[in-house]
Amino acid sequence: MTILFKEGNTMERTPSKYIVLAGTFFTSLSSIIIRFSTAPALVISSYRMLFTCIILLPVIIKNRNEFTELNKKNIILCIISGIFLALHYATWISSIKLTTIANSTILVSCSPIFVCLANYFIIKEKLSKKMIMSIVVSLAGTIIIALGSAGASASNMMLGNTLAFLGAIFVAGYLVIGGIVRKNLSAGAYVFIVYSVSTVVLFIMCLLSSTSVYPYPPREFMLFISLAFFCSILGHTLYNYMVKYVSSTLISVSTLSEPIFASLMALVIFKEIPSLYTLLGGVIIITGILNYLITQNNERLKIKN
C-alpha cells in the first residue's frame, strides 16, 4: 500500500469508512486488467508508471514549491526507492503471467513481513514474541502455497509464485524508504520523483532485455491507462485520502482483502479455481499478517500511553 497524501485535522465531515473498501476494490482490479493484456510484463509495468506520472503532472505543477525541500540525501533515497518500485512491478506483473491470480495476490500481500524485518534491522524497531510468531505463521503459509506448485513446471507456476514473493520483498523496500524520506519531504515531491525514476528504470529494463515498447494496439494502451487511473490513482489515492480520517492500521488491514477480491473476480472472469493449497496457505498468510498488524498497533498504543 502506498501512502501519498496525509492532510492535517480539519472540521470537515468524516467520510464513510467504506470508502477504504472502494480503494481496495480498485487496487484489486490490477491483476485482472494485467491478465487481459497480451503485452510483456515489462511493457505493462513501464506504461502503467508512465501514465500515472502523466495523470499526476497537473497536481505536481500546481504544488511545485514542494520540491524546495529536496536535498542530496533525499534525492538518493528517492532514486533507490524508485528502483525498488520498478523491480516490484517487473516481478509481480510477470508473476501474473505465470501463476494464478490468487497465488500472485496472496504472496505479494506478504510485504508487511519484510517491512517489519527491514525496520527491525535498519531503525531497530522492536519485535514482540507475538509479532515474531505472526511472521513465522505467514511464512509457513507461503511454504504451503509453494508445495501446491510442486510438479507444475509445465505452467511455470513455481516461477510465478517466486516472482510474486520477490515482488513483496521489493515493495517492502519501497515502503521502508518512503517511511524514512517522508519525515522531511512532502508526499507529492516524494511520490512524483519515485514514480518518475521507476518509469525510467522500467523502460531501461525493456531496452536491455530487447523488449519492444512499441507498437501496440489501442486496446493495450487502454489497459495501460486503466491500470494507471483505476489502480494507481483511484485505488491508492482513496487510501491516501482516507488516512486523514481513519487509522493507518485499518487501511493496512483492509488491503488484505485485495487477494479475496482479485481471486473472486478471477474465479468469475477466468474460471480460475484456487487449489486447496492456495486456500489453506492464503488463509494462514492473511491470518498471520492480520495478527501482526493488530499486535503492532497495540504495541504502539502502549508506548504512547
Side-chain angles (χ1 to χ4, degrees):
M1 183 196 62
T2 310
I3 301 300
L4 306 183
F5 305 105
K6 183 174 181 178
E7 304 169 28
N9 293 325
T10 68
M11 296 300 291
E12 296 177 28
R13 182 179 176 183
T14 302
S16 171
K17 292 182 180 179
Y18 291 109
I19 291 179
V20 175
L21 280 179
T24 304
F25 172 74
F26 282 122
T27 307
S28 65
L29 287 173
S30 184
S31 56
I32 304 300
I33 296 173
I34 290 165
R35 182 60 66 81
F36 274 116
S37 176
T38 57
L42 279 178
V43 173
I44 298 171
S45 307
S46 301
Y47 279 113
R48 173 177 180 166
M49 296 311 300
L50 176 63
F51 286 123
T52 300
C53 289
I54 292 172
I55 295 170
L56 285 175
L57 192 57
V59 178
I60 297 303
I61 292 174
K62 184 179 179 180
N63 299 283
R64 57 185 177 276
N65 59 310
E66 294 179 356
F67 288 85
T68 57
E69 302 167 7
L70 276 173
N71 57 44
K72 186 177 180 181
K73 179 183 177 182
N74 286 340
I75 291 174
I76 292 172
L77 287 175
C78 285
I79 291 172
I80 296 172
S81 183
I83 293 171
F84 270 119
L85 187 60
L87 292 173
H88 160 68
Y89 279 124
T91 51
W92 178 62
I93 292 179
S94 295
S95 78
I96 295 174
K97 301 280 189 178
L98 298 169
T99 188
T100 65
I101 286 175
N103 282 2
S104 178
T105 52
I106 289 170
L107 290 170
V108 82
S109 71
C110 291
S111 58
I113 297 172
F114 302 107
V115 169
C116 83
L117 290 174
N119 285 335
Y120 174 77
F121 289 107
I122 296 173
I123 63 176
K124 309 302 179 183
E125 187 173 271
K126 292 182 179 180
L127 292 174
S128 67
K129 289 182 180 179
K130 285 185 178 180
M131 293 165 75
I132 294 172
M133 195 62 203
S134 298
I135 293 170
V136 172
V137 167
S138 293
L139 290 175
T142 66
I143 294 172
I144 292 174
I145 291 178
L147 290 173
S149 304
S153 57
S155 63
N156 290 318
M157 187 174 286
M158 181 64 82
L159 175 59
N161 291 345
T162 302
L163 288 169
F165 196 67
L166 286 172
I169 296 174
F170 290 133
V171 80
Y174 157 72
L175 293 172
V176 169
I177 294 174
I180 296 171
V181 176
R182 283 287 289 112
K183 291 177 181 178
N184 49 35
L185 184 66
S186 71
Y190 170 71
V191 166
F192 191 72
I193 294 170
V194 170
Y195 282 11
S196 299
V197 170
S198 180
T199 302
V200 172
V201 170
L202 285 165
F203 274 106
I204 289 175
M205 290 173 71
C206 287
L207 180 65
L208 294 177
S209 61
S210 300
T211 303
S212 177
V213 297
Y214 190 83
Y216 288 95
R219 174 184 176 276
E220 290 297 322
F221 281 97
M222 289 302 297
L223 292 173
F224 302 154
I225 293 170
S226 295
L227 279 170
F229 181 71
F230 290 108
C231 308
S232 295
I233 301 297
L234 273 189
H236 291 155
T237 298
L238 279 176
Y239 284 152
N240 295 297
Y241 171 70
M242 288 303 293
V243 170
K244 175 182 175 182
Y245 302 101
V246 301
S247 71
S248 58
T249 300
L250 174 62
I251 295 178
S252 296
V253 170
S254 76
T255 62
L256 295 180
S257 63
E258 287 180 27
I260 299 172
F261 280 135
S263 298
L264 288 174
M265 286 188 283
L267 176 63
V268 174
I269 299 171
F270 303 115
K271 311 301 180 185
E272 277 192 6
I273 301 174
S275 68
L276 185 60
Y277 286 98
T278 297
L279 292 173
L280 179 59
V283 168
I284 291 174
I285 289 170
I286 292 174
T287 300
I289 294 174
L290 179 61
N291 187 62
Y292 166 79
L293 291 170
I294 293 173
T295 304
Q296 182 189 54
N297 187 57
N298 291 337
E299 294 288 336
R300 287 175 176 174
L301 288 175
K302 285 180 182 178
I303 293 173
K304 287 181 179 179
N305 296 331

